[in-house]
Amino acid sequence: MEITPAGDAALAAYDLRAEQQRQEPSTITRNSMLGERHDPREAIRILRIVATGEEIRVGDVVADPFGTSVTYLGPTMRRMSGDSIWLPGFIARVLYPGDVPWVFLPTDLGAAYEDAPGRPA
């Protein structure tokens, strides 16, 4: 197989663009549908019940929008590519009986996240 000068230039341009894309920052999100609890060594957003201001901690049982009891696992987590730290998002991860993971907006649980992430107590 012979590559023409035009084909060689196209392959070189493709290689250059592919390398540029590999160098661009990207966001990595943990699989929200894994039933893993929040890692206590990582920052977390505090989830509070809107009506009372009471904190909902990882492992607490709350009611889903339909009244079913679910266990709060923590917020979704994301990080920039590389070795950057994981940062908490704004979606609540929960676990249904039978170890079925799910996600809800905090408002669906009658709750809201505080804006600034911090270390768990």
Side-chain angles (χ1 to χ4, degrees):
M1 177 166 81
E2 185 176 328
I3 299 177
T4 64
D8 193 42
L11 286 172
Y14 174 81
D15 286 341
L16 178 63
R17 180 64 187 138
E19 181 58 30
Q20 289 172 340
Q21 283 182 329
R22 278 192 290 276
Q23 299 300 324
E24 290 177 2
S26 60
T27 300
I28 301 169
T29 305
R30 283 187 184 154
N31 185 340
S32 299
M33 298 312 291
L34 292 179
E36 58 189 1
R37 292 183 191 263
H38 184 83
D39 186 338
R41 296 170 295 180
E42 296 171 336
I44 191 168
R45 291 190 193 282
I46 304 300
L47 183 64
R48 296 194 181 278
I49 299 171
V50 173
T52 64
E54 179 184 350
E55 180 180 347
I56 300 172
R57 295 181 178 273
V58 173
D60 286 353
V61 175
V62 296
D64 77 354
F66 312 102
T68 304
S69 294
V70 294
T71 303
Y72 174 60
L73 298 175
T76 54
M77 299 293 286
R78 64 178 170 71
R79 73 176 179 182
M80 294 305 289
S81 58
D83 293 330
S84 60
I85 61 171
W86 287 97
L87 298 171
F90 289 96
I91 306 293
R93 297 180 307 113
V94 299
L95 192 64
Y96 278 89
D99 294 334
V100 178
W102 202 252
V103 292
F104 285 108
L105 292 173
T107 54
D108 292 340
L109 304 174
Y113 278 114
E114 292 180 357
D115 285 336
R119 292 269 172 219

